[in-house]
Amino acid sequence: MLNLHIACDHAGFELKEAVKSKLHEELTALGLTIVDHGTNSSESCDYPLFANAACQAVTAEKSVGLLICGTGIGMSMVANRHQGIRAALCTTELHAKLARRHNNANVLCLGARMTGSELAKAIILAFFAEHFEGGRHQRRIDLFSK
Ligand code: RB5
């Protein structure tokens, strides 16, 4: 089993809780154990604090993450400042599949104010069921570092 480190801000709280309760079985079947880094209410908070906590755990364990804020943009910006994190903000299932196959994304970002909860759940399952294709895509990822 691999840990799936999840985090959100107030805007993503409801979706994070829905993921925990509704996708638990499907994620377990994919070999993932959810580890929740907060936030734990809909009270206004600062998303970088939660993104950083989850990304530090993903990096340390070489595992995977899921970050949810209002747009997904702030979470993805913070996540991609971490060495070794390749975070993808996805709004479709195809985004999710290609982020894994081509970009070896290890963190999925979602915007809870942009993407409905049913689509968000489908995106999550598509992302974590998919695998990296390697080959030319690895060569391109190796070119990321400046
Ligand atoms: C919170 O209002 C909102 O700014 C945040 O959830 C996120 O969308 C930032 O990128």
Side-chain angles (χ1 to χ4, degrees), residues 26-117:
E26 287 95 333
L27 291 169
T28 302
L30 290 172
L32 297 170
T33 304
I34 292 175
V35 180
D36 188 350
H37 294 264
T39 188
N40 295 312
S41 78
S42 296
E43 196 174 319
S44 183
C45 65
D46 297 331
Y47 60 83
L49 301 175
F50 302 94
N52 284 335
C55 287
Q56 279 159 10
V58 171
T59 304
E61 295 178 3
K62 294 193 191 317
S63 57
V64 290
L66 168 63
L67 305 175
I68 308 169
C69 63
T71 59
I73 293 172
M75 287 296 201
S76 62
M77 287 181 167
V78 175
N80 278 314
R81 294 176 71 92
H82 287 250
Q83 190 80 34
I85 295 289
R86 290 174 302 281
L89 169 55
C90 297
T91 57
T92 68
E93 288 176 71
L94 186 57
H95 272 136
K97 289 176 184 177
L98 293 175
R100 292 286 275 176
R101 284 185 208 156
H102 290 188
N103 310 111
N104 200 13
N106 51 10
V107 170
L108 170 62
C109 299
L110 292 172
R113 291 173 176 163
M114 306 290 138
T115 303
S117 65

